[in-house]
């Protein structure tokens, strides 16, 4: 019989992976900042059109901008944490589903134990 089990994919922190993660965080932060600028522009445009009550327009856009600003703060925090991480530590990158073969006589503890795939610089280093 085959079972589906969740497997963690962990990335080993190396100098290269730190740089890649930092670049990804910076790119996401820039994207969010551009979205905030675009939202401010749209807000002004909608306020000038006069089709909608100014208070509702302001409220809607303030919420959208605040949501993005919170995400920016989170990215900045993650970037700070990334710089403090020692090389060789493992970060949970994501989870994937795996098929596990179960046969009569197998030890249930072995079948259900948590599994992980360890990746270093884009290469599978270990399967636990």
């Amino acid at each position: 019989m085959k079972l589906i089990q969740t497997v963690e994919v962990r990335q080993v922190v190396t100098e290269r992976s730190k740089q890649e993660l930092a670049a990804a965080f910076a790119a996401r932060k820039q994207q969010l900042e551009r979205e905030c600028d675009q939202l401010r522009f749209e807000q002004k445009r909608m306020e000038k059109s006069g089709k909608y009550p100014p208070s509702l327009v302001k409220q809607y856009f303030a919420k959208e901008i605040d949501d993005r600003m919170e995400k920016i703060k989170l990215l900045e925090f993650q970037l700070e944490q990334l710089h403090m991480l020692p090389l060789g530590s493992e970060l949970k990158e994501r989870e994937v589903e795996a098929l596990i073969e179960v046969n009569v006589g197998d030890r249930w503890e072995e079948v259900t134990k948590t599994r992980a795939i360890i990746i270093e610089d884009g290469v599978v280093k270990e399967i636990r």
Side-chain angles (χ1 to χ4, degrees), residues 79-92:
L79 195 56
E80 287 175 22
Q81 295 299 309
L82 177 65
H83 291 302
M84 288 190 267
L85 269 178
L87 297 179
S89 56
E90 294 178 1
L91 290 175
K92 179 179 173 183

Side-chain angles (χ1 to χ4, degrees), residues 31-46:
Q31 175 65 31
L32 288 167
E33 288 170 346
R34 282 194 301 269
E35 287 177 16
C36 286
D37 291 341
Q38 182 66 31
L39 285 167
R40 288 184 191 99
F41 175 78
E42 288 293 323
Q43 178 182 357
K44 288 178 185 175
R45 192 173 64 83
M46 288 184 79

Side-chain angles (χ1 to χ4, degrees), residues 19 26 30 32 41 43 49 60 69 76-78 90 92 98 102 119 123-124 128:
Q19 290 172 353
Q30 274 187 323
L32 288 167
F41 175 78
Q43 178 182 357
S49 74
Y60 172 78
M69 293 304 288
E76 289 171 346
F77 175 73
Q78 288 174 325
E90 294 178 1
K92 179 179 173 183
V102 180
I119 297 176
V123 177
V124 176
R128 296 181 187 158

